[in-house]
Amino acid sequence: VSPQAVIVEFGGNDALRGLDPSDTEKALSTMIHTFTARKIPVLLCGMYAPPNMGEAYSRAFRAVFDKLGHQPGVLYYPFFLAGVAGHRELLQADGIHPNPDGVRLIVKQILPYVERLLAEVRSS
């Protein structure tokens, strides 16, 4: 069975490991192209690199998502952890992953984008 729509949220571990942003771009581009070539709409959820990776790395990493997020057939939510990253009260003890309150905020914020994705599916 083929999906009717896809949400791609990928790259957080790449940034934490300091992988070359061009490798992340290649992987994401392949995923996105696989679906858009089949006329399956994609919601791409962006990820930011942690600040300890340095400003140049952070800019390069964010640019990957900004570039891919503006391709035809792609809806773009710029930062999956918006309002959650860096807020200890919304994170698990590891300081990285959202706790239940953080997840609720993520869901609330991304919901309009998911609704747009579903509207695209209904209109096709």
Side-chain angles (χ1 to χ4, degrees), residues 33-52:
H33 178 72
T34 297
F35 295 113
T36 58
R38 294 170 54 197
K39 306 290 189 239
I40 298 169
V42 174
L43 170 56
L44 174 62
C45 300
M47 186 55 61
Y48 294 173
N52 65 311

Side-chain angles (χ1 to χ4, degrees), residues 69-116:
H70 292 95
Q71 292 184 347
V74 177
L75 293 172
Y76 181 43
Y77 182 64
F79 184 37
F80 185 72
L81 296 174
V84 175
H87 295 272
R88 294 296 244 177
E89 72 279 8
L90 299 175
L91 298 172
Q92 295 180 35
D94 65 7
I96 298 170
H97 297 94
N99 64 23
D101 290 335
V103 170
R104 278 189 280 280
L105 180 58
I106 291 168
V107 170
K108 179 182 175 185
Q109 294 180 141
I110 201 171
L111 182 59
Y113 293 84
V114 173
E115 288 171 336
R116 283 177 49 202

Side-chain angles (χ1 to χ4, degrees), residues 1-6 35 38 40:
V1 175
S2 184
Q4 292 181 307
V6 176
F35 295 113
R38 294 170 54 197
I40 298 169

